[in-house]
Amino acid sequence: MSTMAESGEKEKKIPESSNLSFLEVKCRSSGKVRRFAQGTESRFALRVINSKLESGVPLALCIAAVKEGEEPVIFGPSATLANYGDGWKLETLINNGEDDMPMKEPTSTKKELKKKNNDITVSWLVTYIGKILLVFAFMFFIAGVNSYFLVVLPDLLSSLKSYWEGSTTPMSS
């Protein structure tokens, strides 16, 4: 009976990698290992990993299965994460040594976000009121031009009438 208990304990202590219900992905930026369920899409895993990074740390670009002496297997955004067996480990890849690599933005405090939102609201409000005032000014300009035209119209018509009557008279010799 003691042999069964001992063998049961040994089985619990050393789980086989093929029987694990999760996959471990090592983040090269932070050095932390994140666990994901079997069947997790690469896009989701990257989003989770990048969301937990501290500011100023390079973002993970993709996930790859790596093994010493082998070409890495890179997972596309909609690929399902998989365990390739002994020696293969899942790791994130980052863009080493390039200036334009994406970095985690520093997180803002609530005060900074509130101030930013207030600035945007004030800017939007000033723009909105300015546009309304511009439309009113344009309407008054058009109304003034129409009023002036209506005041001048009778004089213009009489001068045109006299011009047409004057040009149709026969020339005297």
Side-chain angles (χ1 to χ4, degrees), residues 110-124:
K110 283 186 178 181
K111 275 186 178 180
E112 290 172 350
L113 289 175
K114 203 173 212 181
K115 183 180 179 194
K116 214 180 272 186
N117 286 341
N118 286 341
D119 291 345
I120 290 170
T121 304
V122 169
S123 172
W124 177 81

Side-chain angles (χ1 to χ4, degrees), residues 1 3 28 33 36-37 39 42-43 54 135 160-161 168:
M1 228 187 199
T3 27
R28 285 190 180 177
V33 175
F36 297 97
S42 176
R43 178 184 305 128
E54 295 179 16
V135 167
L160 282 175
K161 184 179 177 186
T168 56

Side-chain angles (χ1 to χ4, degrees), residues 24-26 28 33 63-68 72-73 75 82-93:
E24 291 184 339
V25 179
K26 181 181 178 188
R28 285 190 180 177
V33 175
I63 296 176
V66 294
K67 182 177 181 180
E68 182 120 3
V73 178
F75 293 92
N83 183 359
Y84 286 103
D86 290 337
W88 289 92
K89 295 181 182 179
L90 298 178
E91 292 184 357
T92 60
L93 298 182

Side-chain angles (χ1 to χ4, degrees), residues 33 61 125 130 150:
V33 175
L61 300 176
L125 186 63
L150 289 174

